[in-house]
Amino acid sequence: MHKSNVPSVSNIRILSNMLVLYRRIKKQERYLKGHLLNLLRDVVPDFQQTFTDKDIKRITKYWQLALNLVCDNVYNLTGKKLSEAEHQRIILLSVFGPLFDDLFDDHILNYEQITSLVTDPEAYVALNKTDKLAAGIYLELLRGMPRRQQFIEHLQAVAHWQQESLKQLDSTITETALREITYKKSYYAVLLFCALLDNYPDQKILEILYPAAGLMQLTNDTFDVWKDVHKGVYTLPNLYRNFEQLQQLFLTETSNINQWLWQLPYPVKAKQTFAIIIHSLHAMGWMSLEQLKQATSGITSIEELKQLSRKELVCDMDSLQQQLKWVQHIRTFTNYADKEINAIL
């Protein structure tokens, strides 16, 4: 692929976009902390779930990723604005998502019970406060859903790949199987949020969202290496540790995303902003991969990996030096074309 005709994005443009995003995120954190419980009481008046600060933080992160990287980003690209009803559905799904994950991860329900909840929520009889709240939110979402059946089908796919992800507790899982699980559990979670929208993305945007979602999950996995190895969860970064291969994957997918994006019939500025937002997360994944590649040099087993400290394995993004490096990587990814691959590696 050759360089696109889209003007190169500058560091100033990226800094401006990141500042706007930072302010938006801080505003979102304050809003959710002040309004979440009242919103849930309106939806499920007798809910008994207690949310800790850690729970609120987890829900907020889920919401911010869904809103800023997916829903609002796709709408800004296509010249649309989220309605109040769409905003509320996004928040509700951001609460439902972590609860749904817990049904699997904490063994609250078995797969058959989860399938029953997904396929026939009106008839579902809750067993505890967690699935009761999940069922109540799910029913409220379905009542306002523009495409009810599509949403149910996407949630069935999310449940399927959540069940498949239990294979990540087995150290004999193949690299091919890990990659498929990594991509598809993230992609269908993204599609679930897209199904909330009054205007579902067209096929060309969905083609972009598949690799973007895969890199989002890989980014999460690279940051969670320390946590996952101590929980016995196997991922591409911690089990196979082919970091150069993973960097190659990041670059290949970035090239595909950019190539497909620049061909879309939307304003140049809108496409650039979309790329900046999407690649802001991917750039963090790249930085984490670089750190892991250095920190794990000579490591030949999971047991050896467990001996490394959290500081060695977790990429710290708080320092000014790291943040400036991050901005530069966002620019590289946003302007990236595959002819540059050897120079970067």
Side-chain angles (χ1 to χ4, degrees):
M1 186 183 79
H2 298 294
K3 282 274 191 179
S4 76
N5 293 323
V6 178
S8 177
V9 177
S10 68
N11 283 337
I12 296 298
R13 173 77 187 282
I14 292 168
L15 279 169
S16 175
N17 275 263
M18 289 299 98
L19 183 59
V20 169
L21 183 59
Y22 175 79
R23 289 173 174 167
R24 189 186 306 156
I25 284 172
K26 290 302 177 184
K27 184 177 180 180
Q28 290 164 354
E29 289 172 355
R30 293 191 296 270
Y31 175 83
L32 204 61
K33 194 170 184 179
H35 292 80
L36 179 61
L37 294 184
N38 287 335
L39 174 63
L40 292 178
R41 288 191 186 100
D42 290 341
V43 174
V44 188
D46 60 343
F47 90 94
Q48 300 173 347
Q49 190 82 354
T50 300
F51 290 115
T52 65
D53 288 343
K54 185 178 179 181
D55 293 328
I56 298 291
K57 185 176 180 181
R58 182 181 173 202
I59 292 167
T60 302
K61 181 180 177 182
Y62 209 97
W63 177 48
Q64 289 170 336
L65 285 172
L67 176 61
N68 299 316
L69 268 77
V70 182
C71 299
D72 196 44
N73 206 20
V74 168
Y75 262 26
N76 285 337
L77 173 66
T78 57
K80 300 179 180 67
K81 294 291 183 184
L82 291 168
S83 67
E84 185 177 340
E86 287 171 309
H87 271 293
Q88 177 157 319
R89 291 197 293 264
I90 294 167
I91 292 176
L92 286 177
L93 185 51
S94 300
V95 181
F96 177 82
L99 291 172
F100 195 68
D101 291 345
D102 289 344
L103 298 181
F104 285 90
D105 298 342
D106 297 342
H107 309 291
I108 294 172
L109 301 179
N110 61 38
Y111 187 59
E112 290 71 24
Q113 291 168 325
I114 292 171
T115 300
S116 173
L117 167 61
V118 171
T119 56
D120 193 6
E122 285 85 0
Y124 180 77
V125 178
L127 302 179
N128 53 68
K129 63 183 181 181
T130 301
D131 66 332
K132 181 180 180 180
L133 179 56
I137 294 173
Y138 184 32
L139 285 169
E140 179 65 20
L141 283 167
L142 290 177
R143 278 190 281 271
M145 197 62 56
R147 290 168 300 280
R148 175 188 169 103
Q149 189 55 38
Q150 183 185 48
F151 184 82
I152 292 173
E153 289 172 1
H154 284 341
L155 187 56
Q156 288 172 328
V158 169
H160 170 75
W161 288 105
Q162 280 279 30
Q163 181 69 9
E164 286 293 294
S165 71
L166 296 179
K167 295 176 181 178
Q168 292 183 253
L169 301 174
D170 182 355
S171 63
T172 65
I173 187 171
T174 66
E175 200 166 354
T176 300
L178 259 181
R179 177 169 172 176
E180 183 178 24
I181 291 169
T182 298
Y183 268 63
K184 290 190 175 176
K185 72 180 180 181
S186 181
Y187 180 58
Y188 283 104
V190 166
L191 290 190
L192 198 61
F193 278 97
C194 290
L196 297 175
L197 301 175
D198 293 336
N199 300 278
Y200 192 77
D202 64 26
Q203 187 58 37
K204 291 186 181 299
I205 293 178
L206 294 180
E207 288 174 356
I208 292 172
L209 291 179
Y210 183 76
L215 295 188
M216 286 180 198
Q217 185 59 49
L218 274 172
T219 294
N220 184 66
D221 290 344
T222 61
F223 274 85
D224 283 350
V225 163
W226 185 85
K227 181 181 74 174
D228 286 341
V229 294
H230 288 281
K231 290 175 63 177
V233 176
Y234 299 101
T235 64
L236 287 170
N238 74 35
L239 182 58
Y240 288 98
R241 300 182 296 280
N242 293 328
F243 297 118
E244 288 190 4
Q245 180 179 309
L246 288 175
Q247 285 184 310
Q248 175 75 58
L249 179 61
F250 265 72
L251 295 176
T252 299
E253 298 291 45
T254 296
S255 176
N256 290 334
I257 290 167
N258 290 349
Q259 182 179 21
W260 297 333
L261 177 61
W262 304 146
Q263 293 172 357
L264 294 180
Y266 302 117
V268 167
K269 187 174 182 179
K271 290 188 284 190
Q272 289 178 330
T273 299
F274 180 90
I276 291 169
I277 299 298
I278 284 287
H279 292 318
S280 65
L281 192 66
H282 302 159
M284 293 172 66
W286 179 272
M287 291 173 66
S288 186
L289 281 174
E290 287 187 321
Q291 178 169 326
L292 287 172
K293 185 164 63 172
Q294 294 176 2
T296 63
S297 178
I299 296 294
T300 60
S301 70
I302 288 288
E303 290 306 315
E304 288 181 309
L305 193 60
K306 287 181 180 178
Q307 302 308 310
L308 297 180
S309 68
R310 187 181 186 279
K311 184 176 181 179
E312 289 174 296
L313 294 177
V314 178
C315 184
D316 183 5
M317 297 297 298
D318 290 338
S319 72
L320 178 60
Q321 181 181 7
Q322 284 287 84
Q323 290 167 2
L324 292 175
K325 186 186 293 186
W326 177 48
V327 168
Q328 188 56 52
H329 281 306
I330 296 172
R331 184 184 181 191
T332 298
F333 274 56
T334 302
N335 295 324
Y336 179 71
D338 61 8
K339 62 183 289 187
E340 302 164 1
I341 196 165
N342 292 327
I344 293 179
L345 284 174

